[in-house]
Coordinates of all heavy atoms in Angstrom, one line a residue:
M24 N 0.8 -1.2 0.0 CA 0.0 0.0 0.0 C 0.9 1.3 0.0 O 0.6 2.2 -0.7 CB -0.9 0.0 1.2 CG -1.7 1.2 1.4 SD -3.3 1.0 0.7 CE -4.1 2.4 1.2
A25 N 1.9 1.3 0.8 CA 2.8 2.4 0.9 C 3.5 2.7 -0.4 O 3.7 3.8 -0.8 CB 3.8 2.3 2.0
N26 N 3.9 1.6 -1.1 CA 4.6 1.7 -2.4 C 3.6 2.3 -3.4 O 4.1 3.2 -4.2 CB 5.0 0.3 -2.8 CG 5.9 0.4 -4.0 OD1 6.6 1.4 -4.3 ND2 6.0 -0.7 -4.8
N27 N 2.4 2.0 -3.4 CA 1.4 2.5 -4.3 C 1.2 4.0 -4.1 O 1.1 4.8 -5.0 CB 0.1 1.7 -4.2 CG -0.8 1.9 -5.4 OD1 -0.3 2.4 -6.5 ND2 -2.0 1.5 -5.3
E28 N 1.1 4.4 -2.8 CA 1.0 5.8 -2.4 C 2.2 6.6 -2.8 O 2.1 7.7 -3.3 CB 0.7 5.9 -0.9 CG 0.4 7.3 -0.4 CD 0.0 7.3 1.0 OE1 -0.7 6.4 1.5 OE2 0.6 8.2 1.7
D29 N 3.4 6.0 -2.6 CA 4.6 6.7 -3.0 C 4.6 6.9 -4.5 O 5.1 8.0 -5.0 CB 5.9 5.9 -2.6 CG 6.1 5.8 -1.1 OD1 5.5 6.7 -0.4 OD2 6.8 4.9 -0.7
E30 N 4.1 6.0 -5.3 CA 4.1 6.1 -6.8 C 3.2 7.2 -7.1 O 3.5 8.0 -8.0 CB 3.6 4.8 -7.4 CG 4.7 3.7 -7.4 CD 4.2 2.4 -8.0 OE1 3.2 2.4 -8.7 OE2 4.8 1.4 -7.7
R31 N 2.0 7.3 -6.5 CA 1.1 8.4 -6.8 C 1.7 9.8 -6.5 O 1.5 10.7 -7.2 CB -0.3 8.2 -6.0 CG -1.2 7.3 -6.7 CD -2.5 7.2 -6.1 NE -2.6 6.0 -5.3 CZ -3.1 5.9 -4.1 NH1 -3.7 6.9 -3.5 NH2 -3.1 4.7 -3.5
I32 N 2.3 9.9 -5.3 CA 3.0 11.2 -4.9 C 4.0 11.5 -5.9 O 4.1 12.7 -6.4 CB 3.5 11.1 -3.5 CG1 2.3 11.0 -2.5 CG2 4.4 12.3 -3.2 CD1 2.8 10.7 -1.1
L33 N 4.9 10.6 -6.3 CA 5.9 10.8 -7.3 C 5.3 11.2 -8.6 O 5.8 12.2 -9.3 CB 6.8 9.6 -7.5 CG 7.9 9.7 -8.4 CD1 8.9 10.8 -8.0 CD2 8.7 8.4 -8.5
S34 N 4.2 10.6 -9.0 CA 3.6 10.9 -10.3 C 3.0 12.4 -10.2 O 3.2 13.1 -11.2 CB 2.4 10.0 -10.5 OG 1.7 10.4 -11.7
I35 N 2.5 12.8 -9.1 CA 2.0 14.1 -9.0 C 3.1 15.1 -9.1 O 3.0 16.2 -9.7 CB 1.1 14.3 -7.7 CG1 -0.2 13.5 -7.8 CG2 0.9 15.8 -7.4 CD1 -1.0 13.5 -6.6
K36 N 4.2 14.8 -8.4 CA 5.4 15.7 -8.4 C 6.0 15.8 -9.8 O 6.4 16.9 -10.2 CB 6.4 15.2 -7.4 CG 6.1 15.4 -6.0 CD 7.1 15.0 -5.0 CE 6.7 15.2 -3.6 NZ 7.7 14.8 -2.6
V37 N 6.0 14.7 -10.6 CA 6.5 14.8 -11.9 C 5.6 15.6 -12.8 O 6.0 16.5 -13.5 CB 6.7 13.4 -12.5 CG1 6.9 13.4 -14.0 CG2 7.8 12.6 -11.8
K38 N 4.3 15.4 -12.7 CA 3.3 16.2 -13.4 C 3.5 17.7 -13.1 O 3.4 18.6 -13.9 CB 1.9 15.8 -13.2 CG 1.6 14.4 -13.8 CD 0.1 14.0 -13.5 CE -0.2 12.6 -13.9 NZ -1.5 12.2 -13.6
Y39 N 3.7 18.0 -11.8 CA 3.8 19.4 -11.3 C 5.1 20.0 -11.9 O 5.0 21.1 -12.4 CB 3.9 19.4 -9.8 CG 4.1 20.7 -9.2 CD1 3.0 21.6 -9.2 CD2 5.3 21.1 -8.6 CE1 3.2 22.9 -8.6 CE2 5.4 22.4 -8.1 CZ 4.4 23.2 -8.0 OH 4.5 24.5 -7.5
G40 N 6.2 19.2 -11.9 CA 7.4 19.7 -12.5 C 7.3 20.0 -14.0 O 7.8 21.0 -14.5
D41 N 6.6 19.0 -14.7 CA 6.4 19.2 -16.1 C 5.5 20.5 -16.4 O 5.8 21.2 -17.4 CB 5.7 18.0 -16.7 CG 6.6 16.8 -16.8 OD1 7.8 16.9 -16.6 OD2 6.1 15.6 -17.0
A42 N 4.5 20.7 -15.6 CA 3.7 21.8 -15.7 C 4.5 23.1 -15.6 O 4.3 24.1 -16.3 CB 2.5 21.8 -14.8
I43 N 5.3 23.2 -14.6 CA 6.1 24.4 -14.3 C 7.0 24.6 -15.5 O 7.1 25.8 -15.9 CB 7.0 24.2 -13.0 CG1 6.1 24.1 -11.8 CG2 8.0 25.3 -12.8 CD1 5.3 25.3 -11.5
V44 N 7.7 23.6 -16.0 CA 8.5 23.8 -17.2 C 7.7 24.3 -18.4 O 8.1 25.2 -19.1 CB 9.2 22.5 -17.6 CG1 9.9 22.5 -18.9 CG2 10.3 22.1 -16.5
G45 N 6.5 23.8 -18.6 CA 5.7 24.2 -19.6 C 5.2 25.7 -19.5 O 5.3 26.4 -20.4
I46 N 4.9 26.0 -18.3 CA 4.5 27.4 -18.0 C 5.7 28.4 -18.3 O 5.5 29.4 -18.9 CB 4.1 27.6 -16.5 CG1 2.7 26.9 -16.3 CG2 4.0 29.1 -16.1 CD1 2.3 26.8 -14.8
L47 N 6.9 28.0 -17.9 CA 8.1 28.8 -18.2 C 8.3 29.0 -19.7 O 8.7 30.1 -20.1 CB 9.3 28.3 -17.4 CG 9.3 28.3 -15.9 CD1 10.5 27.6 -15.3 CD2 9.2 29.8 -15.4
E48 N 8.2 27.9 -20.4 CA 8.4 27.9 -21.8 C 7.3 28.9 -22.5 O 7.7 29.7 -23.4 CB 8.3 26.5 -22.4 CG 9.5 25.7 -22.1 CD 9.4 24.2 -22.6 OE1 8.3 23.9 -23.2 OE2 10.3 23.5 -22.3
Y49 N 6.1 28.7 -22.1 CA 5.1 29.6 -22.7 C 5.2 31.0 -22.3 O 5.0 31.9 -23.1 CB 3.7 29.1 -22.3 CG 3.2 27.9 -23.1 CD1 2.9 26.7 -22.5 CD2 3.0 28.0 -24.5 CE1 2.5 25.6 -23.2 CE2 2.6 26.9 -25.2 CZ 2.3 25.7 -24.6 OH 1.9 24.6 -25.3
Q50 N 5.7 31.3 -21.1 CA 5.9 32.6 -20.6 C 7.1 33.3 -21.4 O 7.0 34.4 -21.8 CB 6.3 32.7 -19.1 CG 6.4 34.1 -18.6 CD 5.1 34.9 -18.8 OE1 4.0 34.4 -18.4 NE2 5.2 36.1 -19.4
K51 N 8.1 32.5 -21.7 CA 9.2 33.0 -22.6 C 8.7 33.4 -24.0 O 9.0 34.4 -24.5 CB 10.3 31.9 -22.7 CG 11.5 32.4 -23.5 CD 12.5 31.3 -23.6 CE 13.7 31.7 -24.4 NZ 14.7 30.7 -24.6
K52 N 7.8 32.5 -24.5 CA 7.2 32.8 -25.8 C 6.3 34.1 -25.8 O 6.4 34.9 -26.7 CB 6.3 31.6 -26.3 CG 5.7 31.8 -27.6 CD 5.0 30.6 -28.1 CE 4.5 30.8 -29.5 NZ 3.9 29.6 -30.1
V53 N 5.6 34.3 -24.7 CA 4.8 35.5 -24.5 C 5.7 36.7 -24.5 O 5.4 37.7 -25.1 CB 3.9 35.4 -23.3 CG1 3.3 36.8 -22.9 CG2 2.8 34.4 -23.5
D54 N 6.8 36.6 -23.8 CA 7.7 37.7 -23.7 C 8.3 38.1 -25.0 O 8.4 39.2 -25.4 CB 8.9 37.4 -22.7 CG 8.4 37.3 -21.2 OD1 7.3 37.8 -20.9 OD2 9.1 36.7 -20.4
E55 N 8.7 37.0 -25.8 CA 9.2 37.3 -27.2 C 8.2 37.9 -28.1 O 8.5 38.8 -28.8 CB 9.7 35.9 -27.8 CG 10.9 35.4 -27.1 CD 11.2 33.9 -27.5 OE1 10.5 33.3 -28.3 OE2 12.3 33.4 -27.1
L56 N 6.9 37.4 -28.0 CA 5.8 38.0 -28.8 C 5.5 39.4 -28.4 O 5.2 40.2 -29.3 CB 4.6 37.1 -28.7 CG 4.7 35.7 -29.3 CD1 3.5 34.8 -28.9 CD2 4.7 35.8 -30.8
T57 N 5.6 39.7 -27.1 CA 5.4 41.1 -26.7 C 6.5 42.0 -27.3 O 6.2 43.1 -27.7 CB 5.5 41.2 -25.1 OG1 4.4 40.3 -24.6 CG2 5.2 42.6 -24.6
A58 N 7.7 41.6 -27.3 CA 8.8 42.4 -27.8 C 8.6 42.5 -29.3 O 8.8 43.6 -29.9 CB 10.2 41.7 -27.6
T59 N 8.2 41.5 -30.0 CA 7.9 41.6 -31.5 C 6.8 42.5 -31.7 O 6.8 43.4 -32.7 CB 7.5 40.2 -32.0 OG1 8.6 39.3 -31.8 CG2 7.2 40.2 -33.5
Q60 N 5.7 42.5 -30.9 CA 4.6 43.4 -31.1 C 5.0 44.8 -30.9 O 4.6 45.7 -31.7 CB 3.5 43.0 -30.0 CG 2.2 43.6 -30.3 CD 1.1 43.0 -29.4 OE1 1.3 43.0 -28.2 NE2 0.0 42.5 -29.9
K61 N 5.9 45.1 -29.9 CA 6.4 46.5 -29.7 C 7.2 46.9 -30.9 O 7.0 48.1 -31.4 CB 7.2 46.5 -28.4 CG 7.7 47.9 -28.1 CD 8.5 47.8 -26.8 CE 9.1 49.2 -26.5 NZ 9.8 49.2 -25.2
R62 N 8.1 46.1 -31.4 CA 8.9 46.4 -32.6 C 8.0 46.7 -33.8 O 8.2 47.6 -34.5 CB 9.8 45.3 -32.9 CG 10.8 45.5 -34.1 CD 11.6 44.3 -34.4 NE 10.9 43.1 -34.6 CZ 10.2 42.7 -35.7 NH1 10.2 43.5 -36.7 NH2 9.7 41.5 -35.7
L63 N 7.0 45.8 -34.0 CA 6.1 46.0 -35.2 C 5.3 47.4 -35.1 O 5.1 48.1 -36.1 CB 5.1 44.9 -35.3 CG 5.6 43.6 -35.8 CD1 4.6 42.4 -35.6 CD2 6.0 43.7 -37.3
R64 N 4.9 47.7 -33.9 CA 4.2 49.0 -33.7 C 5.1 50.2 -34.0 O 4.7 51.2 -34.6 CB 3.6 49.1 -32.3 CG 2.4 48.3 -32.1 CD 1.7 48.6 -30.7 NE 0.5 47.9 -30.6 CZ 0.2 47.1 -29.6 NH1 1.1 47.0 -28.6 NH2 -0.9 46.4 -29.6
E65 N 6.4 50.1 -33.6 CA 7.3 51.2 -33.8 C 7.6 51.3 -35.3 O 7.6 52.4 -35.9 CB 8.6 50.9 -33.1 CG 8.4 51.1 -31.6 CD 9.7 50.7 -30.8 OE1 10.7 50.3 -31.4 OE2 9.6 50.8 -29.6
E66 N 7.7 50.1 -36.0 CA 8.0 50.1 -37.4 C 6.8 50.7 -38.2 O 6.9 51.4 -39.2 CB 8.3 48.7 -37.9 CG 9.7 48.2 -37.5 CD 9.9 46.8 -37.9 OE1 9.1 46.2 -38.7 OE2 10.9 46.2 -37.5
M67 N 5.6 50.3 -37.7 CA 4.3 50.8 -38.4 C 4.2 52.3 -38.3 O 3.8 53.0 -39.2 CB 3.1 50.2 -37.7 CG 1.8 50.5 -38.4 SD 0.4 49.5 -37.8 CE 0.2 50.2 -36.2
K68 N 4.7 52.9 -37.2 CA 4.7 54.4 -37.0 C 5.6 55.0 -38.0 O 5.3 56.1 -38.6 CB 5.1 54.8 -35.6 CG 4.0 54.5 -34.6 CD 4.5 54.9 -33.2 CE 3.5 54.5 -32.1 NZ 4.0 54.8 -30.8
K69 N 6.8 54.4 -38.3 CA 7.8 54.9 -39.2 C 7.4 54.7 -40.7 O 7.7 55.5 -41.5 CB 9.1 54.3 -38.9 CG 9.7 54.6 -37.6 CD 11.0 53.9 -37.4 CE 11.5 54.1 -35.9 NZ 12.7 53.3 -35.7
D70 N 6.8 53.6 -41.0 CA 6.5 53.2 -42.4 C 5.0 53.1 -42.6 O 4.4 52.0 -42.5 CB 7.2 51.9 -42.7 CG 7.1 51.5 -44.1 OD1 6.6 52.3 -44.9 OD2 7.5 50.4 -44.5
T71 N 4.3 54.2 -42.8 CA 2.9 54.2 -43.0 C 2.4 53.6 -44.3 O 1.2 53.2 -44.4 CB 2.3 55.6 -42.8 OG1 2.9 56.5 -43.8 CG2 2.5 56.1 -41.4
E72 N 3.3 53.5 -45.3 CA 2.9 52.9 -46.6 C 2.5 51.4 -46.5 O 1.7 50.9 -47.2 CB 4.1 53.0 -47.6 CG 4.3 54.4 -48.1 CD 5.4 54.5 -49.1 OE1 5.7 53.5 -49.8 OE2 6.0 55.6 -49.2
H73 N 3.1 50.7 -45.5 CA 2.9 49.3 -45.4 C 2.1 49.0 -44.1 O 2.2 47.9 -43.5 CB 4.3 48.5 -45.3 CG 5.0 48.7 -46.6 ND1 6.0 49.6 -46.7 CD2 5.0 48.1 -47.8 CE1 6.6 49.6 -47.9 NE2 5.9 48.6 -48.6
E74 N 1.2 49.9 -43.8 CA 0.4 49.8 -42.5 C -0.4 48.5 -42.5 O -0.5 47.8 -41.5 CB -0.5 51.0 -42.4 CG -1.2 50.9 -41.1 CD -2.1 52.2 -40.8 OE1 -1.9 53.2 -41.6 OE2 -2.9 52.1 -39.9
L75 N -1.0 48.1 -43.6 CA -1.8 46.9 -43.7 C -1.0 45.6 -43.4 O -1.4 44.7 -42.7 CB -2.5 46.7 -45.0 CG -3.7 47.6 -45.2 CD1 -4.3 47.4 -46.6 CD2 -4.8 47.3 -44.2
E76 N 0.2 45.6 -43.9 CA 1.1 44.4 -43.6 C 1.5 44.4 -42.2 O 1.5 43.3 -41.6 CB 2.4 44.5 -44.5 CG 2.1 44.4 -46.0 CD 3.3 44.8 -46.8 OE1 4.4 45.0 -46.3 OE2 3.1 45.0 -48.1
Y77 N 1.8 45.5 -41.6 CA 2.1 45.6 -40.2 C 0.9 45.2 -39.3 O 1.0 44.4 -38.3 CB 2.6 46.9 -39.7 CG 4.0 47.3 -40.2 CD1 4.2 48.3 -41.1 CD2 5.1 46.5 -39.8 CE1 5.5 48.6 -41.6 CE2 6.3 46.8 -40.3 CZ 6.6 47.8 -41.1 OH 7.8 48.1 -41.6
R78 N -0.3 45.6 -39.7 CA -1.5 45.3 -39.0 C -1.8 43.8 -39.0 O -2.2 43.2 -38.1 CB -2.7 46.1 -39.4 CG -2.6 47.5 -39.0 CD -4.0 48.2 -39.1 NE -3.9 49.6 -38.8 CZ -3.9 50.1 -37.5 NH1 -4.0 49.3 -36.5 NH2 -3.8 51.4 -37.3
A79 N -1.5 43.2 -40.2 CA -1.7 41.7 -40.3 C -0.7 41.0 -39.5 O -1.1 40.0 -38.8 CB -1.5 41.3 -41.8
A80 N 0.5 41.4 -39.4 CA 1.5 40.8 -38.6 C 1.2 41.0 -37.1 O 1.4 40.0 -36.3 CB 2.9 41.4 -38.9
L81 N 0.7 42.1 -36.8 CA 0.2 42.3 -35.4 C -0.9 41.4 -35.0 O -1.0 40.9 -33.9 CB -0.2 43.8 -35.1 CG 1.0 44.8 -35.0 CD1 0.5 46.2 -35.0 CD2 1.7 44.6 -33.6
A82 N -1.9 41.2 -35.9 CA -3.0 40.4 -35.6 C -2.5 38.9 -35.4 O -3.0 38.2 -34.5 CB -4.0 40.5 -36.8
Q83 N -1.6 38.5 -36.3 CA -1.1 37.1 -36.1 C -0.3 37.0 -34.8 O -0.5 36.0 -34.1 CB -0.1 36.8 -37.3 CG 0.6 35.5 -37.2 CD -0.3 34.3 -37.3 OE1 -1.3 34.4 -38.0 NE2 0.0 33.2 -36.6
N84 N 0.4 38.0 -34.5 CA 1.2 38.0 -33.2 C 0.2 37.9 -32.0 O 0.5 37.2 -31.1 CB 2.0 39.3 -33.1 CG 2.9 39.4 -31.9 OD1 2.4 39.7 -30.8 ND2 4.2 39.2 -32.1
K85 N -0.8 38.7 -32.1 CA -1.8 38.7 -31.0 C -2.5 37.4 -30.8 O -2.7 36.9 -29.7 CB -2.9 39.8 -31.3 CG -3.9 40.0 -30.2 CD -4.8 41.2 -30.5 CE -5.8 41.4 -29.4 NZ -6.7 42.5 -29.6
A86 N -2.8 36.7 -31.9 CA -3.4 35.4 -31.9 C -2.4 34.3 -31.2 O -2.8 33.5 -30.4 CB -3.8 34.9 -33.3
E87 N -1.2 34.4 -31.6 CA -0.2 33.5 -31.0 C 0.0 33.8 -29.5 O 0.1 32.9 -28.7 CB 1.2 33.7 -31.7 CG 1.2 33.1 -33.2 CD 2.5 33.4 -33.9 OE1 3.5 33.7 -33.2 OE2 2.5 33.3 -35.1
M88 N 0.0 35.1 -29.2 CA 0.1 35.4 -27.8 C -1.1 34.9 -27.0 O -0.9 34.4 -25.9 CB 0.2 36.9 -27.6 CG 0.6 37.4 -26.2 SD 0.8 39.1 -26.0 CE 2.1 39.5 -27.1
K89 N -2.3 35.0 -27.5 CA -3.5 34.5 -26.8 C -3.4 33.0 -26.6 O -3.8 32.5 -25.6 CB -4.7 34.9 -27.7 CG -6.0 34.3 -27.2 CD -6.7 35.3 -26.3 CE -8.1 34.8 -26.0 NZ -8.3 34.2 -24.7
E90 N -2.9 32.3 -27.6 CA -2.8 30.9 -27.6 C -1.8 30.5 -26.4 O -2.1 29.6 -25.6 CB -2.3 30.3 -28.9 CG -2.2 28.8 -28.9 CD -1.8 28.3 -30.3 OE1 -2.2 28.9 -31.3 OE2 -1.0 27.4 -30.3
A91 N -0.7 31.2 -26.4 CA 0.3 30.9 -25.3 C -0.3 31.2 -24.0 O -0.1 30.5 -23.0 CB 1.6 31.7 -25.6
Q92 N -1.0 32.3 -23.8 CA -1.6 32.7 -22.5 C -2.6 31.7 -22.1 O -2.7 31.3 -20.9 CB -2.2 34.1 -22.6 CG -1.1 35.2 -22.7 CD -1.7 36.5 -23.0 OE1 -2.7 36.7 -23.6 NE2 -0.9 37.6 -22.6
D93 N -3.4 31.2 -23.1 CA -4.4 30.1 -22.7 C -3.7 28.9 -22.3 O -4.2 28.2 -21.3 CB -5.3 29.8 -24.0 CG -6.2 31.0 -24.3 OD1 -6.5 31.9 -23.4 OD2 -6.8 31.0 -25.4
S94 N -2.6 28.5 -22.9 CA -1.9 27.3 -22.5 C -1.3 27.5 -21.0 O -1.3 26.6 -20.2 CB -0.7 27.1 -23.4 OG -1.2 26.8 -24.7
I95 N -0.8 28.7 -20.7 CA -0.3 29.0 -19.4 C -1.5 28.8 -18.4 O -1.3 28.2 -17.3 CB 0.3 30.4 -19.3 CG1 1.6 30.5 -20.1 CG2 0.5 30.8 -17.8 CD1 2.2 31.9 -20.2
R96 N -2.6 29.4 -18.7 CA -3.8 29.3 -17.8 C -4.2 27.8 -17.6 O -4.5 27.4 -16.4 CB -5.0 30.0 -18.3 CG -5.1 31.4 -17.8 CD -6.5 32.0 -18.0 NE -6.7 33.0 -19.0 CZ -6.0 33.5 -20.0 NH1 -4.9 33.1 -20.3 NH2 -6.4 34.5 -20.8
A97 N -4.2 27.0 -18.6 CA -4.5 25.6 -18.5 C -3.5 24.9 -17.6 O -3.9 24.1 -16.8 CB -4.6 25.0 -19.9
L98 N -2.2 25.1 -17.8 CA -1.2 24.5 -17.0 C -1.3 24.9 -15.5 O -1.1 24.1 -14.6 CB 0.2 24.7 -17.6 CG 0.5 24.0 -18.9 CD1 1.8 24.5 -19.4 CD2 0.6 22.5 -18.6
E99 N -1.6 26.2 -15.3 CA -1.7 26.7 -13.9 C -2.9 26.0 -13.3 O -2.8 25.6 -12.1 CB -1.8 28.2 -13.9 CG -0.5 28.9 -14.2 CD -0.7 30.4 -14.3 OE1 -1.8 30.9 -14.5 OE2 0.4 31.1 -14.2
K100 N -4.0 25.9 -14.0 CA -5.2 25.3 -13.4 C -4.9 23.8 -13.1 O -5.3 23.3 -12.1 CB -6.4 25.4 -14.4 CG -7.7 24.8 -13.9 CD -8.8 25.0 -14.9 CE -10.1 24.4 -14.3 NZ -11.2 24.7 -15.2
E101 N -4.3 23.1 -14.0 CA -3.9 21.7 -13.8 C -3.0 21.6 -12.5 O -3.3 20.7 -11.7 CB -3.2 21.1 -15.0 CG -2.8 19.7 -14.8 CD -2.1 19.1 -16.0 OE1 -2.2 19.7 -17.1 OE2 -1.4 18.1 -15.9
T102 N -2.1 22.5 -12.4 CA -1.2 22.4 -11.3 C -2.0 22.7 -10.0 O -1.8 21.9 -9.0 CB -0.1 23.5 -11.4 OG1 0.6 23.2 -12.6 CG2 0.9 23.5 -10.3
R103 N -2.8 23.7 -10.0 CA -3.7 23.9 -8.8 C -4.5 22.7 -8.4 O -4.6 22.3 -7.2 CB -4.6 25.1 -9.0 CG -3.8 26.5 -8.9 CD -4.8 27.6 -8.8 NE -5.7 27.7 -10.0 CZ -5.5 28.3 -11.1 NH1 -4.3 28.9 -11.3 NH2 -6.4 28.3 -12.1
N104 N -5.1 22.1 -9.4 CA -6.0 20.9 -9.2 C -5.2 19.8 -8.6 O -5.6 19.1 -7.7 CB -6.7 20.5 -10.4 CG -7.8 21.5 -10.8 OD1 -8.3 22.3 -10.0 ND2 -8.2 21.5 -12.1
N105 N -4.0 19.6 -9.2 CA -3.1 18.5 -8.7 C -2.7 18.7 -7.2 O -2.7 17.8 -6.4 CB -1.9 18.3 -9.5 CG -2.2 17.6 -10.9 OD1 -3.2 17.0 -11.0 ND2 -1.3 17.8 -11.8
L106 N -2.4 20.0 -6.9 CA -2.0 20.3 -5.5 C -3.2 20.1 -4.6 O -3.0 19.6 -3.5 CB -1.4 21.7 -5.4 CG 0.0 21.9 -6.0 CD1 0.3 23.4 -6.0 CD2 1.0 21.1 -5.3
K107 N -4.3 20.5 -5.0 CA -5.5 20.4 -4.2 C -5.8 18.9 -3.9 O -6.1 18.5 -2.8 CB -6.7 21.0 -4.9 CG -8.0 21.0 -4.1 CD -9.1 21.7 -4.8 CE -10.4 21.6 -4.1 NZ -11.5 22.3 -4.8
T108 N -5.7 18.1 -5.0 CA -5.9 16.7 -4.9 C -4.9 16.0 -3.9 O -5.3 15.2 -3.0 CB -5.9 16.0 -6.2 OG1 -6.8 16.6 -7.1 CG2 -6.1 14.5 -6.1
Q109 N -3.7 16.4 -4.0 CA -2.6 15.9 -3.2 C -2.9 16.3 -1.7 O -2.8 15.5 -0.8 CB -1.3 16.4 -3.6 CG -0.1 15.9 -2.8 CD 1.2 16.4 -3.3 OE1 1.3 17.2 -4.2 NE2 2.3 16.0 -2.6
Q110 N -3.3 17.5 -1.5 CA -3.6 18.0 -0.1 C -4.8 17.3 0.5 O -4.8 16.9 1.7 CB -3.8 19.5 -0.1 CG -2.5 20.3 -0.3 CD -2.8 21.8 -0.5 OE1 -3.9 22.2 -0.7 NE2 -1.7 22.6 -0.5
E111 N -5.8 17.0 -0.3 CA -6.9 16.3 0.2 C -6.6 14.8 0.5 O -7.1 14.3 1.5 CB -8.1 16.3 -0.9 CG -8.7 17.6 -1.1 CD -9.7 17.6 -2.2 OE1 -9.8 16.7 -3.0 OE2 -10.3 18.7 -2.4
K112 N -5.7 14.2 -0.2 CA -5.3 12.9 0.1 C -4.4 12.8 1.3 O -4.4 11.8 2.0 CB -4.5 12.3 -1.1 CG -5.4 11.9 -2.3 CD -4.7 11.3 -3.4 CE -5.6 11.0 -4.6 NZ -4.9 10.5 -5.7
E113 N -3.6 13.8 1.6 CA -2.7 13.9 2.7 C -3.5 14.3 4.0 O -3.0 14.0 5.1 CB -1.6 14.8 2.5 CG -0.6 14.3 1.4 CD 0.5 15.3 1.1 OE1 0.4 16.5 1.7 OE2 1.3 15.0 0.3
A114 N -4.6 14.9 3.9 CA -5.4 15.3 5.1 C -5.9 14.1 5.8 O -6.3 13.1 5.3 CB -6.5 16.2 4.6
P115 N -5.9 14.2 7.2 CA -6.3 13.1 8.0 C -7.8 12.9 7.9 O -8.6 13.6 7.6 CB -5.9 13.5 9.4 CG -5.5 14.9 9.4 CD -5.4 15.3 8.0

């Protein structure tokens, strides 16, 4: 019985660690997309002839950022649920 419980705790810890790594990777992507968005806005101010192209690039950037943020939220929720489950199992 103790061995089975140890396996479950280890499994939760591994999932938690994977989730943290995933969150960090997505956060890095959001940071890069934010920098790209800032650069595109500055370029759009300087080059008004190609405004439509910049707006299209900004829209694509925004969609990618939303996707990364949604992934972060999902991983954070999974992590919270795993921790809650673990605490409920450890409670007397």
